[in-house]
């Protein structure tokens, strides 16, 4: 589609640096189309303040604010928790989980408004461009997609600030605090500036750097206990109080945040091929992942637990790579849901200065049976049975040893472990 044929564009709008300058840039470079800004409320709170006024002042005709918080937690976060999906061990997928939900809402509004194109502010180096566009193509394969970072001649965030200043676009950041951030109710990510070099320690103690959690050094000197109740792998209560999904995550964010829990500093492998360094704050999410993993240790049989650990790696990759709406992701989700049928119970954790310690776990479906596992006298386990078990379990290695012994010593037959 030619630029002049695009009369109406739906823009994924956050009010951050990228999307703030995209509105006037689109007006200048796409023959003054109507710009409909869409902000997804996924729990970023005060970042939504004043967005409508700002969007219209910079050239948008209107702003939608779509409340997606409950859907975000119920349909995206909780399935990831049930799977224990973490990309490269430490990244709990805060940004990656939100993007397919936001993109689907963009398509819905674009159809409603009769727009010819959807625009996003993702860079050509990042993962988010893939996450947005995979979803848009899934639900609107005919929709034009505009990605200004792949078109304009702006090369850096400093140049973006120059453009904003030249066009009178108000910004909440300065060149000194110009971290690239993404915030929702699940996490806050930090990239850029001093973090671009992995040799630099994150400035956790610097005022204004951390937002969801305190530096572990500033957490209380006394530990705090938290108990989470699960039903079929879904958290339903905190410290004995039943909470809806959104309030539950917010409550755990507050508890984890004041105890310095949930900080991750990692160099990760982006989908486009490069490595990037990011600092993540995920206080409530870190508590939920740990508690759920602890509960599964008593509720899942060995084979299911071990196989599920392998599945979690692939599931996390699919989410990270923007493949939420794919048959494989859905099939794995069905497997995970089946494994959660008996993952019901309570887990207590002890939080102390950024650390989490197991402090107790119980379940009506526990497979842990003290009668079998005790070191004291028991009446249910015949320890002599282990002799035959080990002989059969070790038969392949025994046969190999016989073969090697035969070839090494030139003997026709070697008997190992023969009984009298």
């Amino acid at each position: 589609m030619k630029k002049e044929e695009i009369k109406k564009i739906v823009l994924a709008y956050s009010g951050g640096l990228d999307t703030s300058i995209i509105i006037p840039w689109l007006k200048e470079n796409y023959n003054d189309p109507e710009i409909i800004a869409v902000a997804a409320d996924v729990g970023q709170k005060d970042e939504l303040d004043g967005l409508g006024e700002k969007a219209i002042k910079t050239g948008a005709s209107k702003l939608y604010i779509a409340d997606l918080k409950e859907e975000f937690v119920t349909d995206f976060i909780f399935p990831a928790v049930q799977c224990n999906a973490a990309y490269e061990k430490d990244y709990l997928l805060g940004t990656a989980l939100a993007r397919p939900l936001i993109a689907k809402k963009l398509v819905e509004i674009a159809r409603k408004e009769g727009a010819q194109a959807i625009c996003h502010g993702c860079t050509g180096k990042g993962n988010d461009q893939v996450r947005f566009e995979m979803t848009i193509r899934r639900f609107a394969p005919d929709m034009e997609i505009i990605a200004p970072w792949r078109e304009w001649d702006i090369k850096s965030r400093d140049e973006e600030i120059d453009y904003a200043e030249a066009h009178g676009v108000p910004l909440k950041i300065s060149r000194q605090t110009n971290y690239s951030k993404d915030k929702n109710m699940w996490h806050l990510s930090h990239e850029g500036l001093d973090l671009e070099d992995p040799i630099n320690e994150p400035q956790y103690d610097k005022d204004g750097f951390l937002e969801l959690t305190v530096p572990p050094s500033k957490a209380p000197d006394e530990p705090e206990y938290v108990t989470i109740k699960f039903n079929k792998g879904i958290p339903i209560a905190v410290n004995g109080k039943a909470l809806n999904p959104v309030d539950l995550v917010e409550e755990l964010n507050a508890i984890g945040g004041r105890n310095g829990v949930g900080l991750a500093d990692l160099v990760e492998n982006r989908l486009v091929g490069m490595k990037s360094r990011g600092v993540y704050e995920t206080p409530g999410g870190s508590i939920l992942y740990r508690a759920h993993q602890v509960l599964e240790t008593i509720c899942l049989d060995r084979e299911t637990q071990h196989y599920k650990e392998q599945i979690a790696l692939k599931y996390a990759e699919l989410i990270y790579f923007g493949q939420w709406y794919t048959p494989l992701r859905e099939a794995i989700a069905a497997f995970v849901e089946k494994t959660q049928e008996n993952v019901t119970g309570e887990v207590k954790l002890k939080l102390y200065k950024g650390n989490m310690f197991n402090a107790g776990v119980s379940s009506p479906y526990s497979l842990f049976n003290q009668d079998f596992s005790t070191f004291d006298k028991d009446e249910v386990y015949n320890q002599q049975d282990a002799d035959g078990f080990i002989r059969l379990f070790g038969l392949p290695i025994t046969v190999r040893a016989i073969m090697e012994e035969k070839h090494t010593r030139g003997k026709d037959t070697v008997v190992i472990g023969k009984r009298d």
Side-chain angles (χ1 to χ4, degrees):
M1 182 178 291
K2 297 180 180 179
K3 285 186 176 181
E4 56 269 20
E5 296 175 336
I6 299 176
K7 305 298 184 182
K8 188 180 291 189
I9 301 171
V10 165
L11 169 66
Y13 186 73
S14 68
L17 178 57
D18 296 322
T19 59
S20 292
I21 67 170
I22 281 176
I23 294 177
W25 184 86
L26 287 172
K27 303 289 280 187
E28 289 180 351
N29 291 273
Y30 275 79
N31 197 29
D32 195 26
E34 180 183 357
I35 309 297
I36 298 169
V38 177
D41 181 0
V42 283
Q44 60 270 52
K45 295 185 176 179
D46 58 351
E47 289 189 2
L48 297 170
D49 295 345
L51 276 194
E53 180 182 354
K54 180 178 179 179
I56 292 172
K57 183 179 179 180
T58 51
S61 64
K62 66 175 73 170
L63 171 73
Y64 284 88
I65 296 182
D67 186 351
L68 304 178
K69 294 190 294 295
E70 185 171 354
E71 188 176 356
F72 180 38
V73 177
T74 302
D75 295 348
F76 292 81
I77 290 175
F78 284 173
V81 172
Q82 287 180 303
C83 187
N84 303 321
Y87 185 71
E88 297 184 343
K89 297 182 181 179
D90 291 320
Y91 176 44
L92 301 190
L93 301 164
T95 299
L97 284 166
R99 293 308 189 235
L101 172 61
I102 295 170
K104 187 178 181 182
K105 177 57 68 171
L106 291 173
V107 170
E108 178 185 319
I109 293 174
R111 294 296 198 202
K112 175 183 175 181
E113 290 284 348
Q116 292 82 42
I118 293 174
C119 178
H120 63 74
C122 309
T123 73
K125 290 183 177 181
N127 303 303
D128 278 344
Q129 58 181 337
V130 181
R131 296 163 183 161
F132 272 112
E133 294 184 31
M134 288 282 287
T135 300
I136 293 170
R137 295 181 191 283
R138 165 64 180 84
F139 293 104
D142 58 320
M143 185 70 64
E144 195 77 16
I145 298 174
I146 301 172
W149 269 104
R150 305 204 292 258
E151 294 185 32
W152 62 23
D153 57 2
I154 297 173
K155 303 301 182 184
S156 68
R157 288 177 68 81
D158 269 347
E159 290 185 10
E160 285 187 286
I161 294 175
D162 291 340
Y163 185 95
E165 291 174 348
H167 290 75
V169 178
L171 299 174
K172 294 182 180 180
I173 61 171
S174 67
R175 296 181 194 272
Q176 292 72 39
T177 61
N178 186 23
Y179 288 105
S180 176
K181 296 188 178 186
D182 178 70
K183 183 180 182 181
N184 58 49
M185 67 184 309
W186 189 237
H187 90 151
L188 173 63
S189 64
H190 309 257
E191 294 179 316
L193 297 180
D194 56 302
L195 298 178
E196 289 193 342
D197 189 342
I199 199 172
N200 294 325
E201 180 182 4
Q203 301 180 53
Y204 293 139
D205 292 314
K206 183 179 179 180
D207 289 343
F209 181 74
L210 297 179
E211 298 180 32
L212 300 182
T213 188
V214 301
S217 61
K218 295 183 179 179
D221 292 331
E222 296 296 325
E224 180 175 354
Y225 288 86
V226 59
T227 300
I228 301 103
K229 183 177 182 180
F230 291 85
N231 180 49
K232 296 185 177 181
I234 299 294
I236 59 173
V238 174
N239 293 332
K241 182 179 180 181
L243 295 168
N244 66 52
V246 173
D247 289 343
L248 185 142
V249 172
E250 293 286 9
E251 177 67 13
L252 289 177
N253 276 339
I255 294 171
R258 63 177 173 255
N259 286 284
V261 167
L263 286 175
D265 174 12
L266 61 144
V267 174
E268 66 198 58
N269 291 292
R270 285 185 177 177
L271 172 58
V272 295
M274 69 188 70
K275 290 182 182 289
S276 66
R277 195 271 190 95
V279 169
Y280 299 97
E281 301 176 58
T282 321
S286 296
I287 292 173
L288 276 181
Y289 266 64
R290 177 63 169 269
H292 181 259
Q293 289 164 353
V294 170
L295 183 58
E296 284 193 328
T297 64
I298 67 170
C299 293
L300 296 185
D301 65 277
R302 182 186 66 198
E303 296 303 314
T304 300
Q305 183 178 341
H306 288 184
Y307 189 71
K308 186 171 175 288
E309 289 172 358
Q310 299 177 50
I311 290 294
L313 295 175
K314 186 60 180 180
Y315 198 77
E317 274 192 354
L318 290 171
I319 297 171
Y320 190 87
F321 294 164
Q323 296 175 298
W324 182 269
Y325 295 108
T326 59
L328 179 56
R329 203 285 308 171
E330 293 168 358
I332 293 176
F335 164 78
V336 171
E337 186 175 353
K338 177 66 178 178
T339 69
Q340 300 299 289
E341 289 181 345
N342 292 333
V343 184
T344 294
E346 289 191 343
V347 179
K348 181 188 288 187
L349 298 177
K350 180 180 180 180
L351 313 179
Y352 182 67
K353 290 189 177 296
N355 296 292
M356 292 184 286
F357 304 94
N358 301 346
V361 56
S362 63
S363 170
Y365 303 104
S366 176
L367 299 176
F368 182 89
N369 190 317
Q370 192 170 353
D371 291 340
F372 284 94
S373 61
T374 181
F375 283 95
D376 293 330
K377 182 179 179 181
D378 68 81
E379 303 296 335
V380 297
Y381 188 91
N382 185 349
Q383 298 200 30
Q384 292 180 347
D385 290 344
D387 182 68
F389 165 74
I390 295 171
R391 289 179 180 277
L392 292 176
F393 186 70
L395 185 59
I397 197 169
T398 300
V399 172
R400 181 179 179 85
I402 293 171
M403 179 273 294
E404 291 178 345
E405 186 79 4
K406 175 182 176 182
H407 283 277
T408 301
R409 298 188 180 181
K411 295 181 179 180
D412 294 332
T413 306
V414 176
V415 180
I416 297 178
K418 182 179 179 181
R419 290 184 174 182
D420 294 333

